Amino acid sequence: MSHATDDPAMVANKAGAGAGTGAAAGYRPERTLRLGVELRRQFKRRRTIGVLVLMAALPLLLIGALQLGGTEEASENTRVNLVDVASSSGLNLTLFTLFATTGFFLVVVFALFFGDTVASEASWGSLRYALATPVPRARLLRQKWLAALILSVGSMVLLVVVSVVAGGIAFGFGDVQTPVGLALDQGTALVRLAGMVGYLAVHLLVVGTLAFWLSTVTDAPLAAVGGAVFTTVVFAVLEQVEQLDGIRDWFPTAFNYAWTDLLQTPVDSGDLFRGVVQGLVYSAVFTALAVRHFARKDVTS
């Protein structure tokens, strides 16, 4: 007498569930380590909360600094500078905030979120347990990459939103006054501001993916974050050496401030285009190196 569990079709289905992979029946790699779970884990960490608080507080500190300076000294200065323009409107404050943070502050934020991904798990000893769940290595790396990208870009967006709102309350929601004396209406300025944020997200991704690659190489998060920041600073210093001439255009920091071209009318898109393409290429290379190294990494020790 045969039982229901001996039905040939059911046996074939059970065998096919893990055929060729050795996986247990019902195992689905795509259901392991969901992005929402990884993001919730990251949001519970003190460094994430600290960065978000600092991003929200920085525009307020800049507003306080500008107001402490007063308008008397600014009116005596006949040369148009970024400080004068920053206090013209909330949008102007936002542009000044981006300009002040592009060279180093945002670099550290992207390096922190990307460089702390794999290395921190390895230093805690939890990486091998995550892979034993089992989470495929490629999926684990992808989810952590996406989580770091969301946190990095989200932090920058938070900085921009707080700057616009707090700056508008402090200095008014007027048009943008550019350093060269041109004005942009609010609608145009908001569209271009969105373009600036998008450009910076792509350009700073170079720093992030470099830190991400280093995070798969070392078990020390500080080494991954510091290595990416230090490399960026070195290239920024070398960029000041005029004897390097055209070589400087190939540095990852070459088009750091190309987003300011969006303030021109008409917009000069040459450096913007090259900065985006160069940023995507560097990011793809560093990400590929991270995937290659992590695929061969020994995480059992």
Side-chain angles (χ1 to χ4, degrees), residues 94-110:
T94 305
L95 295 177
F96 174 69
T97 302
L98 285 178
F99 190 87
T101 56
T102 293
F104 185 76
F105 190 81
L106 290 176
V107 168
V108 174
V109 170
F110 271 70

Side-chain angles (χ1 to χ4, degrees), residues 121-293:
E121 296 277 0
S123 65
W124 296 335
S126 58
L127 183 60
R128 59 179 178 269
Y129 296 110
L131 294 175
T133 303
V135 181
R137 291 196 177 202
R139 179 172 177 80
L140 182 142
L141 208 61
R142 185 188 72 181
Q143 300 299 77
K144 289 189 173 296
W145 193 97
L146 290 174
L149 178 65
I150 291 173
L151 291 172
S152 300
V153 176
S155 298
M156 182 168 59
V157 170
L158 176 63
L159 177 72
V160 169
V161 171
V162 174
S163 297
V164 172
V165 175
I169 295 174
F171 304 121
F173 295 91
D175 297 338
V176 168
Q177 301 295 324
T178 65
V180 294
L182 299 177
L184 298 175
D185 63 83
Q186 291 187 33
T188 302
L190 287 173
V191 171
R192 296 194 184 186
L193 179 60
M196 295 172 188
V197 172
Y199 175 85
L200 281 172
V202 173
H203 193 70
L204 290 168
L205 189 59
V206 177
V207 181
T209 52
L210 173 59
F212 190 69
W213 171 36
L214 295 177
S215 185
T216 65
V217 175
T218 179
D219 292 345
L222 184 60
V225 176
V229 173
F230 179 77
T231 301
T232 303
V233 171
V234 168
F235 276 113
V237 172
L238 291 176
E239 194 177 346
Q240 306 304 315
V241 181
E242 297 182 356
Q243 287 80 354
L244 293 175
D245 199 23
I247 299 177
R248 296 179 297 175
D249 292 339
W250 297 97
F251 289 172
T253 57
F255 301 98
N256 272 357
Y257 294 95
W259 59 269
T260 57
D261 291 344
L262 287 169
L263 293 174
Q264 300 180 18
T265 302
V267 176
D268 183 3
S269 60
D271 287 347
L272 286 167
F273 178 77
R274 183 166 181 177
V276 169
V277 172
Q278 192 165 293
L280 291 175
V281 170
Y282 273 118
S283 299
V285 170
F286 291 141
T287 302
L289 289 173
V291 172
R292 180 178 180 273
H293 189 274

